[in-house]
Amino acid sequence: MSDSLDLGEPPQPAPSSPYRVLARKYRPRTFAELIGQDAMVQTLGNAIRRDRIAHAFLMTGVRGVGKTSTARLIAKALNCIGPDGQGGPTIDPCGVCEPCRSIAEGRHIDVLEMDAASNTGIDDVREIIEAVRYAAVSARYKVYIVDEVHMLSKAAFNGLLKTLEEPPPHVKFIFATTEVNKVPVTVLSRCQRFDLKRIPHDALVAHFAAVAGAEGVAVERDALSLIARAAEGSARDGLSMLDQAIAHAEGDGGVRAEAVRRMLGLADRGMVRRLLSAILGGEAQAALALLAEQHDYGADPQGILRALMETVHAITLAKHGGADPAAVADERAAVDGWAQQLGHARLHRLWQLLLKGHEEVQRAPVPFQAAEMALLRVIHAAELPDPGELMKRIMAGDMPALPAAGAPPAQADPRPAEPVAAAPTLPGDFPALVALLERGGRHGLAQRLHDDARLVGYAPPALSLAMHRPDSDSFVRDLAAALKAITATAWSITLSDQPGAPSLREQDLERERAARQDVLDTPIVRAALAAFPDAELIDHYHPQERKAAS
C-alpha cells in the first residue's frame, strides 16, 4: 500500500470584481462633483456655515438630476467629523471619516433610506414616528431619506405631519420626488424646498467627456452631443446611454456619432436637413424617399417628425437671435440660412402641421404610413401662398373667383367690381358686448359674462377677462365662436390672472346699494325709522327715478 501525497486544492484564479455601471460608478461623492446645481449648493453651504440648518428638506426635479445623491451628500455634510474626528457640519465632507464612508456605502445605522413606492402605508410611517424619539447611535444627526415621497398614502402623510413640523433636534428629514404636485401642501410648507434643474447640454457633454476619459475610451464630440441631447437633462440617463454606446462600439475605434445615432434610433441630422429642404421645395418624391431610407436604417417615424420640429424650432429661435447649443457647425449654418429666407407665418404653419402629424403618427396603427401622409400634407401646404398674402391678392382682385358648375364662360370684358360691404361695427364697450350676446340669443354666455367676468382689457376684437370661477377652455372657445357668428369677426379672448374691474353684476349691486342709501339718508325716512325702530325699507326708488315717476 503506497502513501498518497495530498497537494491540496489547485490554485484558483483571483475572483474579479463585478462590473459597476457608469451611472453608479460616477455618482457624485462631494458637492463639487454635483453638476448643474450651483444655486442649491451655495444655499446649503451658507445654511451650514451660519448654523441655519432646516429640519426637513425636499428635493424635486426630473429623474437623474441628482435628488437621491444630494440627499446622501447632505447626510454626509451634517454628520462628517473630519479626518481627525473633531470636525463639525461642513459643505465639504472629508469622505474619509467613518460616518462619511459608511453613509457612502449605505450601511450607517443612523442614516435610513426608505423607498416610498414600496412602503406607502401608515404602518411604515408609524415605525419612523416611533424611532425618532431615540437619539442617534453614533452620528450627530439621525437622517431619514424618503425617495419618491409622493407615493405615500394620504393617511401616511397625515401621520407624518406633526413629527415633520416639530421633530426632535437630533432628527433630519430629506424627501425626494419627481412629482411635487402630488405632495400635499401641508407637507411642502414644513420643508425647505430645492428644485433641481435639468442639467444643461454643455455641462452634460463635459461630464460625459470626463467619464469617457477616465474609462480610457475615445468618444467623438458629436457622439457625446447626441447622448446629451437624448438624456434631456438627466445625468443618469446619459451615463446609461454612454455605457451602452461603449459596449456597442466596434473594435478599438472608439464611440462614433453614427453608431450612437443608430443605437438610439435617431434620424440623421444631415438627412433631416435634406428632408426639410425637400419639403420646403415641394419635392414630394424626394421627401418620401428620404423618409423610407431612414426608416430602413431603423429610425422611428415619430422621431423623424420630432427632429423636423426641432429644426423648425431652431430656425424660429435663430430669427430672434437664439442658437441651439447642441448644433454642430454645418447644422448651425443651414439653420441661419433658413432663418433669413423663411418668414414667421410660414415657420408657424410648418410647426403646426408637423405637430399635428406627430400626434397622428403617435396614434396610428401603421406609423410609417401616417408619417408619409403627414409629410405630403406639409408639402402641399408649403406650396400654398401665405394666408395674409392670399387675402391681399383677393382684396386687390388678382384672384378671380372660379365660375360655378354649369355657369356660362366669363365675358371678355370684366364687369365693374361691386362695392365691398363695410365691416360690421363692433360693440363700443363691454356692456354693449354683453347686450349684443343677449340679443343674439346667447343668453347663457351673456349671463356668465354679466355675473362672473371681471374686465381686464377691451380693445375689439381683443378681450381679456378674469373669471370669479375657474373656466375650462370650452368657455373661451364657445364665447369666441358666438362672437364671430354675431359680429362676423374673429375675436382674441384670453383669461388673465389680473384682478380686473368689478363685474357688471357687482356694479349693478353697488348702484342698488347707493340708491338704497340715498333713500335711507332722506330726512323723512330717517325720521320714520327713528319713530318706528322695527320698520324696514322693502322697496325704493332712486331720487332721479322718483323725480321721473312723479
Side-chain angles (χ1 to χ4, degrees):
M1 182 175 181
S2 62
D3 296 327
S4 61
L5 181 63
D6 185 6
L7 299 178
E9 292 291 334
Q12 300 292 328
S16 58
S17 58
Y19 175 71
R20 297 180 66 198
V21 296
L22 299 183
R24 293 187 58 197
K25 185 176 180 180
Y26 293 95
R27 172 170 276 173
R29 292 166 295 181
T30 65
F31 282 104
E33 296 178 1
L34 190 65
I35 60 176
Q37 312 299 341
D38 297 339
M40 181 200 67
V41 173
Q42 180 179 355
T43 302
L44 283 173
N46 292 339
I48 291 174
R49 281 189 292 270
R50 298 168 185 170
D51 195 22
R52 301 177 64 89
I53 305 171
H55 62 270
F57 300 90
L58 177 66
M59 307 292 161
T60 74
V62 299
R63 78 268 177 250
V65 294
K67 298 183 297 297
T68 307
S69 296
T70 301
R72 292 172 181 169
L73 289 176
I74 293 175
K76 289 169 63 175
L78 296 180
N79 288 312
C80 178
I81 59 175
D84 58 356
Q86 303 300 318
T90 174
I91 194 63
D92 297 313
C94 66
V96 298
C97 66
E98 175 57 26
C100 284
R101 287 188 289 109
S102 57
I103 291 173
E105 296 169 4
R107 56 180 176 82
H108 199 291
I109 192 173
D110 292 320
V111 178
L112 308 175
E113 294 191 28
M114 185 182 88
D115 178 20
S118 54
N119 300 275
T120 62
I122 182 63
D123 292 336
D124 303 302
V125 170
R126 190 175 289 117
E127 293 181 9
I128 296 178
I129 297 172
E130 293 295 328
V132 296
R133 297 182 297 174
Y134 303 103
V137 176
S138 61
R140 185 179 296 111
Y141 293 103
K142 180 180 287 188
V143 180
Y144 289 92
I145 299 175
V146 183
D147 199 10
E148 300 299 339
V149 69
H150 65 273
M151 299 291 288
L152 288 179
S153 66
K154 183 178 180 180
F157 273 125
N158 290 337
L160 191 61
L161 284 179
K162 188 62 178 177
T163 302
L164 186 60
E165 185 172 20
E166 298 178 0
H170 60 271
V171 174
K172 302 293 181 184
F173 288 97
I174 307 177
F175 302 132
T177 179
T178 54
E179 300 183 49
V180 68
N181 58 302
K182 294 184 179 180
V183 179
V185 292
T186 50
V187 173
L188 293 176
S189 64
R190 291 164 167 84
C191 300
Q192 189 172 99
R193 173 174 168 177
F194 292 102
D195 294 308
L196 277 66
K197 304 183 300 180
R198 291 180 184 269
I199 303 173
H201 179 273
D202 292 342
L204 282 178
V205 171
H207 181 56
F208 297 157
V211 170
E215 292 290 309
V217 179
V219 184
E220 290 183 353
R221 180 77 178 183
D222 287 352
L224 293 174
S225 183
L226 287 172
I227 293 173
R229 185 196 292 265
E232 297 181 343
S234 169
R236 184 177 63 227
D237 288 4
L239 287 174
S240 297
M241 295 177 198
L242 179 60
D243 219 341
Q244 183 180 355
I246 294 173
H248 184 74
E250 298 178 0
D252 298 329
V255 179
R256 302 192 178 280
E258 185 60 33
V260 171
R261 187 176 286 111
R262 289 197 304 268
M263 181 193 77
L264 298 177
L266 299 176
D268 176 65
R269 305 298 295 182
M271 184 284 304
V272 171
R273 295 194 295 274
R274 295 195 301 273
L275 179 56
L276 182 59
S277 179
I279 290 172
L280 295 174
E283 303 172 7
Q285 187 173 358
L288 294 180
L290 288 169
L291 176 65
E293 176 186 341
Q294 285 302 302
H295 186 257
D296 291 340
Y297 280 140
D300 179 26
Q302 189 175 349
I304 296 175
L305 286 178
R306 188 186 307 116
L308 285 170
M309 292 174 63
E310 290 174 357
T311 305
V312 172
H313 177 258
I315 296 170
T316 307
L317 291 184
K319 288 188 72 68
H320 296 277
D324 183 2
V328 294
D330 56 346
E331 183 177 357
R332 190 174 295 115
V335 166
D336 292 339
W338 276 320
Q340 296 176 6
Q341 299 171 11
L342 302 176
H344 290 286
R346 193 173 185 186
L347 286 171
H348 289 311
R349 182 171 51 179
L350 278 172
W351 174 265
Q352 293 296 332
L353 290 169
L354 289 171
L355 179 62
K356 180 175 177 59
H358 184 273
E359 295 172 351
E360 292 176 352
V361 171
Q362 190 174 16
R363 299 192 306 265
V366 185
F368 177 70
Q369 294 178 0
E372 286 184 317
M373 297 301 294
L375 289 188
L376 290 175
R377 182 170 61 240
V378 175
I379 291 171
H380 174 70
E383 297 174 345
L384 297 176
D386 180 81
E389 184 64 27
L390 181 62
M391 181 58 67
K392 291 178 183 178
R393 292 170 62 182
I394 292 175
M395 297 299 292
D398 292 343
M399 297 184 65
L402 295 174
Q411 299 178 358
D413 299 325
R415 294 183 297 174
E418 297 182 0
V420 179
T425 303
L426 300 179
D429 53 23
F430 184 58
L433 175 73
V434 176
L436 181 65
L437 285 169
E438 188 69 38
R439 292 196 301 272
R442 305 311 202 272
H443 307 295
L445 290 173
Q447 187 68 34
R448 190 72 198 282
L449 290 180
H450 180 277
D451 292 351
D452 295 336
R454 291 175 172 264
L455 183 65
V456 176
Y458 186 77
L463 177 63
S464 180
L465 302 171
M467 304 299 293
H468 280 305
R469 294 175 292 174
D471 267 296
S472 62
D473 293 339
S474 62
F475 170 74
V476 174
R477 185 170 59 250
D478 294 345
L479 179 58
L483 290 176
K484 183 176 181 180
I486 296 175
T487 64
T489 303
W491 285 69
S492 173
I493 303 173
T494 58
L495 297 181
S496 172
D497 294 332
Q498 301 295 324
S503 66
L504 297 180
R505 181 176 183 274
E506 291 172 331
Q507 297 178 31
D508 291 344
L509 292 175
E510 177 59 26
R511 285 192 292 269
E512 177 73 15
R513 188 201 62 77
R516 180 181 180 87
Q517 192 60 44
D518 286 345
V519 174
L520 293 174
D521 288 342
T522 56
I524 187 170
V525 174
R526 285 205 307 268
L529 291 176
F532 303 98
D534 295 333
E536 180 181 354
L537 179 61
I538 296 177
D539 202 356
H540 66 277
Y541 290 100
H542 192 270
Q544 288 90 353
E545 294 175 343
R546 288 203 307 272
K547 188 181 298 183
S550 61

